[in-house]
Amino acid sequence: NPLHGAQFVLAAHRVNQLPPDLGAEVAFAGRSNAGKSSALNALAGHKGLARTSKTPGRTQQMVAFALPPLAQGEGVPPLTARLIDLPGYGYAKVPEELRAHWKQEIDAYLHHRQSLRGVVLIADIRHPLKEFDRMMLDFCFATGLPCHLLLTKADKLSRNQAAQALAAMRKSFPDGLHATAQVFSSPAGTGVDEARARVAELLRT
Ligand code: GTP
Ligand code: MG
């Protein structure tokens, strides 16, 4: 597992509290309760790493996890790499003020974080993309930031239904979007190897 050995570093209310903006970073984004933290844990191969919950609004800060430095080949120094778990978007029961704060910080993070190499966007495979997901894809389209979409909770569908949902999703992507997509399930482990490889690839770009 290329993402083995991830360790909690800190949880930040603001972008300027995150670890130094050096090396390479991949962020996990998506609507509240989509399964971001579960996906991060599945990729790291460490169940209790990021906090997960049945109740939406679990992740309340930007949480940074450090990976062991990634080897880059002979003569090239190892790369400092991190995974960032972002708060979920759009949970109505989170006070409006806090939601506005998260929106502002996530926007600032996406726009200004130099080490950000790509976004893992997590969305429930059973539902059409929501406004937040569309905004994220539009942002990636506009800025050229790579995006990898995990259609998660695939364990809730048959393999056939999941494959159909993936095909429909890919078809809906505009030409020129730097996005890839796959079927995923955290508890079943579906697509974990593929996602690990994609994240490792993003970190090395
Ligand atoms: P917030 O931090 O609140 O925004 O949520 P999150 O996106 O980090 O979601 P989290 O990983 O905490 O998971 C939310 C709920 O969905 C939990 O009850 C998880 O067990 C469940 N869940 C996550 N991924 C999957 C999956 O692939 N399949 C199934 N069946 N349940 C999942
Ligand atoms: Mg979370």
Side-chain angles (χ1 to χ4, degrees):
N1 173 9
L3 307 180
H4 172 79
Q7 288 194 331
F8 171 82
V9 183
L10 56 77
H13 281 288
R14 300 188 176 283
V15 177
N16 62 14
Q17 297 165 341
L18 282 169
D21 194 4
L22 302 168
E25 203 163 89
V26 165
F28 289 64
R31 287 170 49 80
S32 196
N33 210 43
K36 298 173 292 297
S37 301
S38 302
L40 192 152
N41 290 345
L43 297 196
H46 183 160
K47 267 200 172 124
L49 187 63
R51 282 196 206 149
T52 64
S53 159
K54 281 195 182 102
T55 318
R58 168 72 257 187
T59 308
Q60 302 241 336
Q61 287 162 299
M62 297 176 276
V63 187
F65 300 93
L67 292 168
L70 296 176
Q72 295 191 97
E74 212 157 318
V76 188
L79 180 69
T80 303
R82 287 175 303 278
L83 304 176
I84 305 288
D85 192 15
L86 295 174
Y89 237 69
Y91 182 49
K93 285 191 187 164
V94 171
E96 174 56 35
E97 227 169 86
L98 190 55
R99 271 191 288 160
H101 168 74
W102 289 349
K103 177 177 170 1
Q104 184 188 311
E105 290 307 309
I106 292 173
D107 283 355
Y109 173 80
L110 291 170
H111 280 96
H112 301 303
R113 193 75 173 163
Q114 298 292 327
S115 53
L116 182 63
R117 294 292 177 270
V119 170
V120 177
L121 178 60
I122 289 104
D124 191 318
I125 193 165
R126 296 169 293 177
H127 306 302
L129 294 185
K130 301 282 169 53
E131 190 187 354
F132 170 75
D133 309 311
R134 296 254 158 238
M135 274 169 26
M136 184 61 82
L137 288 175
D138 288 347
F139 175 83
C140 291
F141 186 67
T143 61
L145 183 71
C147 179
H148 187 60
L149 176 61
L150 297 184
L151 294 173
T152 196
K153 309 197 183 183
D155 52 285
K156 302 280 193 185
L157 297 181
S158 71
R159 279 178 69 151
N160 210 0
Q161 287 172 314
Q164 279 176 19
L166 176 62
M169 184 63 64
R170 285 183 173 148
K171 254 190 169 168
S172 75
F173 285 171
D175 286 344
L177 175 66
H178 291 266
T180 46
Q182 65 161 102
V183 169
F184 193 82
S185 164
S186 295
T190 312
V192 167
D193 288 339
E194 184 183 350
R196 282 174 177 161
R198 184 74 181 115
V199 170
E201 177 185 66
L202 289 173
L203 287 169
R204 289 199 168 88
T205 54

